[in-house]
Amino acid sequence: MTSSVRRRIPIPGTSNLRDVGGYPTVDDRVVASGRLFRSEALVMPGGSGSYAIYDESARAEYQRLGLRTVIDLRAGQETSRAPTAWAQVCGARLVLLPVAEGGEGADTNYIRMLISGELDGFGIEDMARFYTDLLLRRAEQFGAAYRVLAEDRDLPALVHCAAGKDRTGVFTALVLSSLGVPDELVIEDYALTELLRPNRIDAYADRFTAVGRDPEIARVLFESPAAAMASTLRYLQEQYGGARGYLAEMARVPAEVVDAVCSNLLLAP
């Protein structure tokens, strides 16, 4: 896993910007680099420090990504309070596909329930349930995001949520798995966020201590445990026969769209 940290694109102001390309597939192809990126939200200076902050001195580095489309998976209140700067900075088309359920973030349901005492804690099994619920509740948004990748004129694309961990992580897992990337590499890609954004609970600890709650009860919520994604992939396999089955049955993505995404994102053997 440590060597995978090199997948990060070290543009100043960001910590979780990565190229999704480079992974091999089970049929000896490779996911193309420079076609799909994943990241945390980027906001202009003066915005919340829980997001990446745009660094004007690195403007050329942002633009070198060549983005044509930015997919923002955050909820409406998140985007209105802290508009994404990715599209503005890169001159890209912005696609808003709001998914209300997020993990990391001061306004998520899980944070509120943990602080209020409605939840006693949040563990790996809770994270896995969170992801399967996300797949059930937000199939329409995931399907719409997937369709973007079927249009060559819309690539390169970048997908992000708040931390680039949960909503972005589940969507990226769907994409990689549908391309034929082995589960162990899909899991590795997901878990890398924990190395790039370690100890994120520390940024929210005062909210817990202020009401007499131990921040450690929420630590897993701010991490990306491999076991949670492994459980999610098992769920996809058991319920739908894999990511492609989920895309067809739940997200209403036809086979020809999946074929187009494969054509756009995979290199020939």
Side-chain angles (χ1 to χ4, degrees), residues 11-14 17 39-45 52-70 83-94 158 160:
I11 296 180
T14 68
L17 171 61
S39 180
E40 72 269 66
L42 178 74
V43 298
M44 287 300 185
I53 305 296
Y54 171 63
D55 186 334
E56 174 63 29
S57 69
R59 186 177 187 87
E61 294 180 61
Y62 289 103
Q63 294 181 339
R64 201 154 30 237
L65 297 173
L67 299 182
R68 293 179 180 173
T69 309
V70 171
T84 181
W86 276 115
Q88 176 184 345
V89 167
C90 297
R93 178 175 74 102
L94 177 60
L158 177 145
H160 77 83

Side-chain angles (χ1 to χ4, degrees), residues 79-114:
T79 57
S80 60
R81 186 171 55 249
T84 181
W86 276 115
Q88 176 184 345
V89 167
C90 297
R93 178 175 74 102
L94 177 60
V95 178
L96 297 174
L97 294 171
V99 176
E101 301 85 354
E104 180 177 329
D107 297 315
T108 69
N109 288 335
Y110 285 117
I111 291 294
R112 288 197 293 270
M113 288 189 289
L114 286 163

